[in-house]
Amino acid sequence: MTSGESPVAARARSAVAAHRGERGALLPILHDLQAEFGYVDPAVVPVLAEELNLSRAEVHGVISFYHDFRESPAPGTVVRVCRAEACQANGAEALMAHAERNLGDGVTVQQVFCLGNCALGPAVEVNGKLAGRVDAARLDALVASADPFERKVHTV
């Protein structure tokens, strides 16, 4: 950490050091930052650009393109519904529709295309906690019991 550097910028430099030799290091670095802080602080964009010899626009473009990255903390409870083929075959479309219609304020609903739980679909994550064989009633119960301040961020 250089003099006057924020802890987030220092952590970004540490993530770069851990992935510097990898091809396409930006994505793993962003996933590390997202996992640690729950979002990718816009203040790290110039740090990552400098460290990886990229333009700020390139770094920002990657962050804004992928739905897994947030630029601010997510409000309330975050529900991620898997919509991959195996989960679709087990009712994920209906579950996603239920989530979008019924979960209400304070709940952010996101679709993803694999949570790695194909045998137990439909799968969801509620604040980063994975659950399988979820129907509408179980999803409602998972959301009701979720602590919006306790979040384990899923990384791909």
Side-chain angles (χ1 to χ4, degrees), residues 15-66:
V16 169
H19 295 283
R20 186 171 299 283
E22 297 176 21
R23 182 176 171 169
L26 180 58
L27 282 175
I29 291 166
L30 292 173
H31 280 295
D32 284 356
L33 296 172
Q34 177 83 23
E36 185 167 338
F37 299 109
Y39 68 103
V40 178
D41 191 318
V44 303
V45 170
V47 173
L48 296 177
E50 175 189 334
E51 290 287 329
L52 297 172
N53 196 28
L54 299 169
S55 72
R56 290 179 184 192
E58 288 173 299
V59 175
H60 176 73
V62 171
I63 294 168
S64 62
F65 178 79
Y66 290 101

Side-chain angles (χ1 to χ4, degrees), residues 30-32 34-36 68 80 125 152-156:
L30 292 173
H31 280 295
D32 284 356
Q34 177 83 23
E36 185 167 338
D68 281 338
R80 294 168 35 113
E125 277 184 354
K152 175 184 171 252
V153 179
H154 173 78
T155 57
V156 178

Side-chain angles (χ1 to χ4, degrees), residues 80-84 86-96 115 117-125 130-136 138 142:
R80 294 168 35 113
V81 179
C82 180
R83 295 185 70 185
C87 287
Q88 283 183 33
N90 287 298
E93 295 300 318
L95 189 62
M96 184 69 182
L115 290 172
N117 204 25
C118 299
L120 299 175
V124 300
E125 277 184 354
L130 185 63
R133 295 191 178 114
V134 178
D135 59 12
R138 183 159 181 230
L142 289 168

Side-chain angles (χ1 to χ4, degrees), residues 86-108:
C87 287
Q88 283 183 33
N90 287 298
E93 295 300 318
L95 189 62
M96 184 69 182
H98 171 80
E100 291 175 331
R101 278 193 318 267
N102 300 307
L103 291 184
D105 294 334
V107 178
T108 301

